[in-house]
Amino acid sequence: MTLTASKFDIICNTLDNGIILINKNLEVKFWNKWLEIRTGISTNNIMEKKLTDFYPDIDEKKLVRKIGTALKLNSSTFYTPQISKFLLNIELGKITDRVFDSMQQSITITPFDIEEELVIIYIYDITMLCEMNYQLNEVKVEVEEKNEKLKLLLDATMEAIILLKDDVIIDCNEIAVKLFNYSSKYEIITKNLKELILNKKVLDAADNEPIEVNILREDKSSFKALLNIKDTTIRSQIFKILTIVDVSEIRRKENLLAEQTKLAAMGEMIGNIAHQWRQPLNVISVTASAARVKKELGILSDESLEDSLKQILDTTEHLSETIDVFKDFYKEDKEKSLFNLSQNIHNNLALIETIILGNNIKLHLDLDKDIYLFNFSNEFSQIIVNILHNACDAIKARLSSNELRIIKITARQEKNKAIIEIVDNAGGIEKDIINKVFEPYFTTKHKYQGTGLGLYMTQKILKISMKGTIKVTNKTFIYENKTYKGALFRITLNIN
């Protein structure tokens, strides 16, 4: 074994995920310790043998096709099983309340040697994330069922109905009996309406229009109700039909519906968090792996190590802040803080510097350094990072590597408003979808590789939490004497 091969083995055997070096015929050339421990299959037993000999349930045609695609494009690709979320059936220990019997996996196929037609299959354990999504889906189903039941209840007749003759009650329905805490309707019949209404003057004002009144129950307790009185003629006699709705009950149910909606939104946000974490986790993995390789090759300088550690720490802090922002999103006791807008944007750029530099994107900043906002700085960071992710994805999808790639960020003050604009030169958004980008569940993943928070959540954070607005348009602009076109996101926030 060569020195290089030895270092390859050492590195791969210390990573906390499965690594398989395999050729197009599915013959195994390397099988790391992570896989030995979890599968019980030793390297000596599986080397130079077909993977399907040990795991016959693998979709061989699909896996071969994915390997061929990765080699042909010289680019990583993803393998997604059709039925179960795993490539290798690795059984899990018997733990109470476990959702899955087998490890759920994310599989990435990366070219290793084009000429030898070798690829590396990375296997990541995503069981915990899948269990969380499964449980959230169960909560979502339960919430939807409760919402359906609540809707049926609201659609049904909920009014107490009372029939009056000369302001004396002559009949009523069972809901009215319960509403007034009587045992039977005969206890309420013959009572005068004015005995039930605390404010007698409202009866004179009631003229076929609903009014809110205080109503007295049999036990002397009172409640607010929406009351409507209509005159009707029965056999030439004039009667009054009184309908009463307990407003407090409706408000209680409205609050319940709001809470259920929040639960559904929380499920959606957890999905967004998982989606946003993919890129930062990849940054941490790549940075750590690069440092390890440099160390093994003896070329890791103190400065390079310090930069790598700073990148990992900054990215980790960003992940932690992401959880804090979503955890506090619906809390009413969040505290605002005074922060410098320009410094906040610079900090956010540092967090995604790897993405910007890796895609050869040039930044043009025109930031007013004297703008201070009294608002939620972490949530503003999420908004900026999300929009920049979208811009990077659009540029990568639309522009070739030899074309100028640029993102312009401006921040200025107009009276008591802070205006932040982010524009790229990726050509803009199609007219038929530009009005849909802030809609829930709308995605352009078929065109762009979406990362970060959805624009739907960005708009919700701005509107609900930060009391601001966001708009998107296509804009033509001039940069270095050339004309470009791209999507312009304009954020408006109150300074005071």
Side-chain angles (χ1 to χ4, degrees):
M1 180 180 289
T2 65
L3 179 61
T4 303
S6 177
K7 289 183 177 180
F8 175 86
D9 291 353
I10 293 173
I11 294 171
C12 292
N13 281 324
T14 56
L15 295 178
D16 192 25
N17 53 269
I19 296 180
I20 307 172
L21 184 62
I22 197 169
N23 62 18
K24 199 172 182 179
N25 296 323
L26 303 188
E27 295 170 342
V28 176
K29 303 298 181 181
F30 180 82
W31 184 266
N32 75 341
K33 293 290 185 183
W34 189 93
L35 287 167
E36 284 189 332
I37 294 171
R38 286 158 179 79
T39 65
I41 301 173
S42 67
T43 300
N44 293 334
N45 287 339
I46 200 170
M47 286 289 287
E48 303 299 333
K49 296 178 183 177
K50 290 191 66 174
L51 186 62
T52 49
D53 291 340
F54 295 82
Y55 295 96
D57 293 332
I58 290 176
D59 188 343
E60 183 174 353
K61 290 183 179 179
K62 181 176 181 179
L63 183 57
V64 170
R65 185 172 69 253
K66 288 288 185 178
I67 292 174
T69 300
L71 292 170
K72 182 178 179 181
L73 299 179
N74 193 19
S75 176
S76 296
T77 185
F78 297 95
Y79 175 87
T80 305
Q82 293 294 328
I83 301 175
S84 301
K85 289 189 176 180
F86 53 79
L87 175 68
L88 308 181
N89 188 1
I90 300 175
E91 291 187 358
L92 299 172
K94 302 300 182 182
I95 300 177
T96 304
D97 297 329
R98 181 175 291 285
V99 176
F100 304 100
D101 295 325
S102 299
M103 178 191 293
Q104 307 298 287
Q105 302 157 13
S106 174
I107 302 101
T108 304
I109 301 174
T110 302
F112 180 78
D113 190 323
I114 303 298
E115 294 182 359
E116 296 294 328
E117 295 188 327
L118 293 174
V119 299
I120 295 177
I121 298 178
Y122 293 92
I123 300 175
Y124 303 92
D125 184 357
I126 59 169
T127 306
M128 184 177 296
L129 179 61
C130 290
E131 287 180 342
M132 184 181 297
N133 287 334
Y134 177 88
Q135 291 164 357
L136 287 170
N137 283 333
E138 285 193 327
V139 172
K140 180 182 177 183
V141 171
E142 182 180 350
V143 168
E144 288 175 347
E145 289 177 352
K146 289 183 177 179
N147 284 340
E148 285 297 321
K149 292 178 181 178
L150 184 59
K151 184 177 182 299
L152 290 174
L153 180 61
L154 293 174
D155 288 340
T157 300
M158 296 187 301
E159 296 117 330
I161 302 174
I162 297 175
L163 185 64
L164 302 113
K165 177 71 168 70
D166 298 327
D167 290 338
V168 175
I169 299 173
I170 61 173
D171 202 356
C172 66
N173 63 355
E174 288 299 321
I175 294 178
V177 174
K178 294 178 181 179
L179 186 62
F180 287 96
N181 287 344
Y182 286 101
S183 300
S184 70
K185 69 176 183 178
Y186 300 105
E187 295 181 35
I188 193 174
I189 290 175
T190 72
K191 287 187 178 293
N192 192 290
L193 179 61
K194 293 182 179 181
E195 295 180 47
L196 307 177
I197 309 301
L198 294 181
N199 188 351
K200 312 299 188 295
K201 294 182 179 179
V202 297
L203 293 178
D204 299 329
D207 185 17
N208 294 328
E209 291 294 332
I211 56 174
E212 189 169 307
V213 297
N214 288 322
I215 293 183
L216 191 65
R217 288 194 176 98
E218 190 272 340
D219 58 4
K220 305 305 179 183
S221 64
S222 63
F223 63 95
K224 286 188 177 295
L226 195 63
L227 179 146
N228 195 17
I229 301 175
K230 291 185 178 296
D231 292 332
T232 185
T233 302
I234 302 175
R235 295 181 180 179
S236 302
Q237 296 187 56
I238 298 176
F239 294 85
K240 292 182 183 294
I241 296 178
L242 177 66
T243 57
I244 302 173
V245 178
D246 187 346
V247 176
S248 59
E249 179 67 9
I250 290 180
R251 287 174 182 168
R252 186 189 70 81
K253 289 173 181 176
E254 286 176 347
N255 291 334
L256 175 61
L257 183 59
E259 290 300 320
Q260 291 173 336
T261 304
K262 285 182 183 180
L263 285 176
M266 286 298 294
E268 177 188 345
M269 285 194 295
I270 292 296
N272 284 332
I273 291 173
H275 187 55
Q276 179 170 350
W277 272 33
R278 181 178 300 170
Q279 181 63 36
L281 288 175
N282 184 54
V283 171
I284 293 174
S285 177
V286 170
T287 303
S289 297
R292 184 187 294 274
V293 171
K294 288 181 180 179
K295 175 67 176 177
E296 295 292 339
L297 297 177
I299 60 174
L300 180 63
S301 65
D302 290 342
E303 182 180 358
S304 178
L305 177 60
E306 185 67 25
D307 290 341
S308 296
L309 292 176
K310 184 178 184 302
Q311 180 69 33
I312 292 173
L313 289 173
D314 288 345
T315 307
T316 303
E317 183 178 354
H318 172 60
L319 292 175
S320 178
E321 290 175 352
T322 300
I323 289 294
D324 290 339
V325 168
F326 278 89
K327 182 180 65 176
D328 295 337
F329 183 66
Y330 282 109
K331 289 184 178 178
E332 297 179 357
D333 58 349
K334 293 179 297 183
E335 293 184 1
K336 296 181 178 180
S337 62
L338 187 67
F339 65 93
N340 181 271
L341 180 60
S342 175
Q343 185 61 48
N344 183 286
I345 293 175
H346 278 288
N347 292 341
N348 297 329
L349 292 174
L351 290 177
I352 60 172
E353 182 180 11
T354 301
I355 300 173
I356 294 172
L357 295 178
N359 288 288
N360 195 27
I361 295 173
K362 185 174 183 179
L363 287 174
H364 178 79
L365 304 180
D366 182 12
L367 308 176
D368 186 338
K369 297 181 181 180
D370 297 324
I371 299 177
Y372 286 83
L373 298 177
F374 186 71
N375 217 312
F376 303 107
S377 60
N378 285 344
E379 294 188 358
F380 181 74
S381 296
Q382 297 297 323
I383 292 165
I384 295 298
V385 169
N386 179 48
I387 295 175
L388 289 175
H389 274 153
N390 287 338
C392 290
D393 292 338
I395 287 174
K396 186 168 58 176
R398 295 284 188 88
L399 302 178
S400 62
S401 57
N402 60 349
E403 291 183 278
L404 175 66
R405 299 177 167 193
I406 183 171
I407 296 176
K408 294 180 63 178
I409 307 175
T410 62
R412 65 185 186 276
Q413 180 175 345
E414 293 183 1
K415 297 182 180 180
N416 63 336
K417 302 286 186 182
I419 310 296
I420 304 97
E421 294 184 344
I422 303 175
V423 62
D424 58 63
N425 67 329
I429 304 174
E430 291 85 348
K431 291 182 179 178
D432 58 336
I433 67 171
I434 195 168
N435 293 326
K436 300 178 181 179
V437 296
F438 295 118
E439 294 180 1
Y441 310 112
F442 179 79
T443 178
T444 55
K445 286 183 181 178
H446 61 291
K447 294 184 178 180
Y448 310 133
Q449 293 179 349
T451 58
L453 297 171
L455 291 176
Y456 165 63
M457 291 305 304
T458 295
Q459 186 185 52
K460 286 187 70 174
I461 292 174
L462 268 167
K463 181 179 179 181
I464 298 174
S465 186
M466 302 191 73
K467 308 303 180 184
T469 62
I470 183 171
K471 296 181 180 179
V472 61
T473 58
N474 289 324
K475 179 181 179 180
T476 300
F477 62 96
I478 297 176
Y479 180 77
E480 294 182 347
N481 299 321
K482 289 187 178 181
T483 302
Y484 299 95
K485 181 181 179 181
L488 170 68
F489 288 87
R490 177 187 173 103
I491 299 169
T492 303
L493 290 167
N494 292 323
I495 290 181
N496 297 324

